[in-house]
Amino acid sequence: MTEHKSNFPDFYITAPQPCPYLSYRKERKLFTHLTKDKPNVLIDNLLKGGFRRSQNIAYMPYCDNCSACVSVRIVVDEFEPKRTLKRAQNKNADLKITRMPANPTIEQYHLFKQYLHSRHAQGEMADMSLLDYGVMVEESVIKTFITEYRLSHNTEEMQSSEDETLIGVALCDYLSDGISMVYSFFDTTLDSRSLGTYMIMEQIQYAKKINLPYVYLGYWINGSQKMKYKTRFKPQERLTPKGWVRFE
């Protein structure tokens, strides 16, 4: 009984604070610590059931009188990109893609800081140090990987002394039924490439290749322009009080 109790997670609730997505709301989170003594199946079920992972913490929204945050996953085998998504795919056909263990590098960190400065300068991650970034990447009790997207230096867009330049990074987890995209960032000066969109489609292709049925995108937030892009990837399933419901 003692061993069973120690393996069961303790849950905590944060104090209310301003919501970063809906300015007129306050957010709270339900969270638990992910530790190596917790069964893998328990952690896997948390992350498939609406929780998100940040380092070794699993969290989900627990807001008063608000249910705008909805977990979204893409149905891999049936995904067919529309014309605008195909354009992003074609524009990035020249990229070199490398998957590797979740080990941080200074090159990744520099791209990460450029992305935050451009897109999330006022966000809570904006002041993250190299050490903070390393912790974000390395601290995981489940199988985690990084995908790097590189551009050859001899293109019109990018001139570099190196053979290749890192322009995109996706930090992802392997779940039993899919890939969970934990965090991704990219060179925001290359807007015409639609790198954020492309990296999602590339992870969908990878999931299909390794026979995983879903790609988890985290939360779609009704009313948030920042999260509207997630509705473009269909068919998708959204987690509701009745379970996962399909949306075309």
Side-chain angles (χ1 to χ4, degrees), residues 15-26:
Q17 56 186 328
C19 176
Y21 297 102
L22 301 176
S23 59
Y24 53 91
R25 297 281 191 183
K26 295 283 187 180

Side-chain angles (χ1 to χ4, degrees), residues 8 35 38 53 63 70 76 82 105 135 144 157 160 237 241 243:
F8 193 82
T35 54
K38 302 295 187 294
R53 185 183 71 81
C63 306
V70 178
V76 167
K82 304 296 184 184
T105 67
V135 170
T144 301
E157 296 168 288
S160 168
E237 295 179 357

Side-chain angles (χ1 to χ4, degrees), residues 43-53 142 173 175 216:
I43 296 173
D44 187 64
N45 284 334
L46 283 175
L47 299 179
K48 291 190 302 182
F51 280 80
R52 294 291 288 168
R53 185 183 71 81
I142 65 173
D173 291 338
L175 304 184
Y216 289 78

Side-chain angles (χ1 to χ4, degrees), residues 19-25 27 61 63 66-72 217-231 236 238:
C19 176
Y21 297 102
L22 301 176
S23 59
Y24 53 91
R25 297 281 191 183
E27 74 163 2
C63 306
C66 182
S67 56
C69 294
V70 178
S71 293
V72 172
L217 292 185
Y219 301 117
W220 165 67
I221 302 173
N222 191 14
S224 169
Q225 284 297 117
K226 292 181 181 179
M227 294 296 175
K228 190 175 180 180
Y229 73 92
K230 296 183 181 182
T231 63
Q236 63 181 229
R238 299 175 189 173

Side-chain angles (χ1 to χ4, degrees), residues 52-53 92 95-116 120 125 133-134 136-138 144-151 164-173 179-188 190 193-203 229:
R52 294 291 288 168
R53 185 183 71 81
N92 293 286
L95 298 187
K96 178 182 177 182
I97 301 163
T98 306
R99 261 169 274 277
M100 59 191 67
N103 297 319
T105 67
I106 293 177
E107 187 182 23
Q108 292 168 11
Y109 176 69
H110 287 161
L111 181 62
F112 174 70
K113 290 296 286 185
Q114 185 270 339
Y115 172 80
L116 290 178
H120 304 286
M125 300 173 71
Y133 174 74
M136 182 182 85
V137 171
E138 290 183 312
T144 301
F145 67 99
I146 276 180
T147 308
E148 289 189 344
Y149 303 86
R150 293 182 176 273
L151 181 63
E164 298 164 345
T165 301
L166 182 68
I167 64 169
V169 174
L171 176 67
C172 300
D173 291 338
I179 290 171
S180 175
M181 298 190 71
V182 177
Y183 199 80
S184 59
F185 52 94
F186 51 86
D187 187 338
T188 58
L190 303 177
R193 282 183 170 265
S194 302
L195 285 166
T197 296
Y198 168 71
M199 288 193 291
I200 293 174
M201 289 195 293
E202 196 280 323
Q203 293 297 329
Y229 73 92

Side-chain angles (χ1 to χ4, degrees), residues 79-98:
F79 174 74
E80 289 291 340
K82 304 296 184 184
R83 183 178 301 175
T84 54
L85 297 181
K86 283 183 178 179
R87 280 202 294 266
Q89 205 167 33
N90 294 336
K91 287 177 182 177
N92 293 286
D94 58 337
L95 298 187
K96 178 182 177 182
I97 301 163
T98 306

